[in-house]
Structure formats: structure tokens, C-alpha cells
Amino acid sequence: MHRISSWTDLVSAAGGFRYGSLSAGAPPTPIKAEWLNMVQEEIASVVIGAGIALDKTKTDQLKRAIQKMVSDYLPLSGGTLAGLLKATKGVRTAKGLPGGNASEVGYAFDDDGDTGLFATGGTAENGSDVVLLVDRREVARFTGNGRMTFDGGNEPYHTGNKPTMLDVVYPVGSVYMNASVATSPAKLFGFGTWLALAPGRILIGAGTGTDARGDVRAFSVGGSGGEYSHVLSSAEMPVHAHAMPQGSDVPSGTTGPVYASGDDGTRATKPNDIPNTGDAGGGLAHNNLPPYLTVYMWKRTA
């Protein structure tokens, strides 16, 4: 498209139409068919480009064509964007979380506007949080100081909050075990006070337990007991008997045991005496340890 000055010199200083003055020797701008055809095709191409057939009985086709083309790409007064929005510059939206049943802020993804990405808090320029909502429920929040929370305040693990997260995993009183590293958890984790726990002892659960023999025992927290080896007492020995090496005989007319020699030929009476079969065993303690695996154990005390 171009001005009429492209077809005639009889124009205003700005290249537009002029009334002119014949008496002053300045004729008016002539109407050129080339210019009129150009204007006609420019207007017609807009109407046709909007998918509207030219109709000589209609006087609003250019307006309807412009409205249709704009509404297909970007509804300025609200509504549904039917086409793809492409931006070569930044896109801005109002700050805030959705209210009611429709969002007029942020970038909503569903019909009622309560699922999407929204900015809230701070000032118009600084200090905002970016919040991801799903059906108005806060799923994730990203803050200006680099924090990220999920599900309304739960913070994920990262190197910056390692002590905080491990404090949840290992509260005071927790036990930490490692099968190969002897370094204190205070140094490994960077938090808490830890003491080596129960060197040379195994752990047992607090409460009352019953073993395979039906023996019931109660164990209180912090209690200790047991021994590595044990010497049996007489009461702990199983009931048993030993065979007499010489045999015995009680002839009629005697008043006490009669013990025979090895050939059963010599007898002697020892009233009220119990024969001794001879000593056996060494009286040493026996191993009392269950199968075990040695590890490093630590208890958090603060």
C-alpha cells in the first residue's frame, strides 16, 4: 500500500489529497484508478483472509473480519484463546493467588482457575513466592531466598538443609550403625552430639519377650546384662547319674553297703557311706556368645 503521491504530483506537502485552487494555479489531487484499486484490494484481502466471503450488501465486513481475526488469537477482554499464543517479548500477569471460582491472576490451567502457577507476596518488583496449585491445594512453593517446599511446607533434602533433614531422621536418642566407617556421625552429618554406644554389647528391644522355651523376661530401656562366658553352677547342671566302676553288693545280714574289689572277691562293709565315682571336668567357663557381626555404633545425645 502507498499514498496517492505515488501516482501524481498534485498532492499536499505530506503526500496526501488536496483541494487545490484553480484561480491560484494549483489544481486539486486527481482520483487515480490505480490508487482506488489498491485500497479496494487491501480491504478485500482482510475480509477474505478472515474467511468471510465478500458481500456487496454488507457494510460491516471489514469490522467483522478484524474482530474475528483478533478473537481467534488473543481475546483482549477475557474469554478463551483458540489459537497458539506466541510472544516475542515477556508476558506479564497480575500477582496473587486465585480467589472465588475463577482466577484473574497467574497462569491457570483449568476452567475454574484454581490449578496453575501463581506469584504471591513481596512487592510489585521484589520478594515474591511462586506457587504451584492443584485444585487450590498448594503443591509446591519457590521462594526468593532459594527455598523450595512441597505439599504446604514440607522441605525437600538438599545440601543446604542437610542438618535439618537429618535431624528429622535421627532425633535425640537415635542409634546410628556403620559396618566399615568409624567416623562419628557428628562429623559425617555435621550436626548433633554423638557418643560411641555399648562397645562389646549387642542391642535388644525394650519390652517383655518370650523365648523358644517359654521363658518370659522384661527388658527396660537402658538396662544391661549378660556375660561373654559362663561357669555352670551345680543348680544349672542337668540332672544326671554316673555308673559305678566297681559295682556293689548287699549280702543278707549286713547293715550297710558292701563294696567289692575289681574281682568281686574281696568285700568290706562301710556303713552309711556314699561311693564316689571320681572327679571329671575342668570347671572352666563356656562361650556364651550368639553369632555376631561387629559394627560401629553411635547414640545421639544432643
Side-chain angles (χ1 to χ4, degrees):
M1 189 166 182
H2 214 281
R3 294 185 175 87
I4 187 64
S5 58
S6 296
W7 288 273
T8 177
D9 293 332
L10 303 176
V11 295
S12 67
F17 288 88
R18 72 182 185 188
Y19 289 104
S21 174
L22 295 177
S23 60
T29 303
I31 303 297
K32 294 287 188 176
E34 295 88 350
W35 184 85
L36 291 174
N37 287 333
M38 179 197 66
V39 173
Q40 172 184 271
E41 292 308 310
E42 287 281 353
I43 297 173
S45 65
V46 174
V47 176
I48 296 171
I52 301 174
L54 296 175
D55 187 342
K56 64 181 179 181
T57 65
K58 307 291 184 181
T59 59
D60 64 345
Q61 285 191 293
L62 178 61
K63 182 188 77 171
R64 289 193 296 114
I66 294 174
Q67 289 175 334
K68 185 176 185 298
M69 295 173 73
V70 170
S71 65
D72 281 348
Y73 289 91
L74 184 61
L76 299 179
S77 60
T80 302
L81 180 63
L84 175 66
L85 174 63
K86 295 182 178 181
T88 58
K89 300 283 187 178
V91 178
R92 295 183 180 179
T93 180
K95 182 190 295 186
L97 297 179
N101 197 39
S103 172
E104 297 180 353
V105 296
Y107 300 91
F109 304 135
D110 56 2
D111 290 341
D112 58 8
D114 59 7
T115 296
L117 197 62
F118 308 92
T120 183
T123 66
E125 293 82 18
N126 301 301
S128 300
D129 292 350
V130 177
V131 181
L132 175 63
L133 297 183
V134 175
D135 293 331
R136 201 168 296 178
R137 178 169 171 263
E138 183 174 319
V139 176
R141 178 180 291 258
F142 307 88
T143 66
N145 61 4
R147 293 184 65 236
M148 178 172 60
T149 59
F150 290 102
D151 198 18
N154 297 315
E155 190 172 3
Y157 172 82
H158 55 79
T159 55
N161 72 351
K162 182 172 72 172
T164 301
M165 300 305 296
L166 289 175
D167 187 47
V168 175
V169 179
Y170 292 105
V172 173
S174 295
V175 173
Y176 168 79
M177 291 187 288
N178 196 304
S180 60
V181 179
T183 306
S184 167
K187 185 174 182 180
L188 285 176
F189 300 153
F191 82 105
T193 301
W194 299 78
L195 296 178
L197 175 65
R201 291 186 175 273
I202 61 174
L203 303 182
I204 190 169
T208 301
T210 305
D211 67 6
R213 296 174 52 253
D215 188 11
V216 178
R217 252 178 224 202
F219 299 92
S220 58
V221 174
S224 62
E227 51 190 352
Y228 300 142
S229 58
H230 182 71
V231 177
L232 291 176
S233 66
S234 297
E236 293 171 333
M237 295 179 62
V239 176
H240 66 287
H242 292 274
M244 289 285 290
Q246 298 295 335
S248 66
D249 208 15
V250 184
S252 61
T254 62
T255 59
V258 176
Y259 301 100
S261 65
D263 58 7
D264 287 334
T266 303
R267 288 183 169 85
T269 301
K270 298 183 66 177
N272 303 319
D273 198 3
I274 299 176
N276 189 337
T277 61
D279 294 335
L284 299 179
H286 66 274
N287 182 10
N288 207 36
L289 291 174
Y292 60 85
L293 172 68
T294 303
V295 299
Y296 298 103
M297 296 193 301
W298 302 82
K299 177 182 176 182
R300 185 180 174 194
T301 58

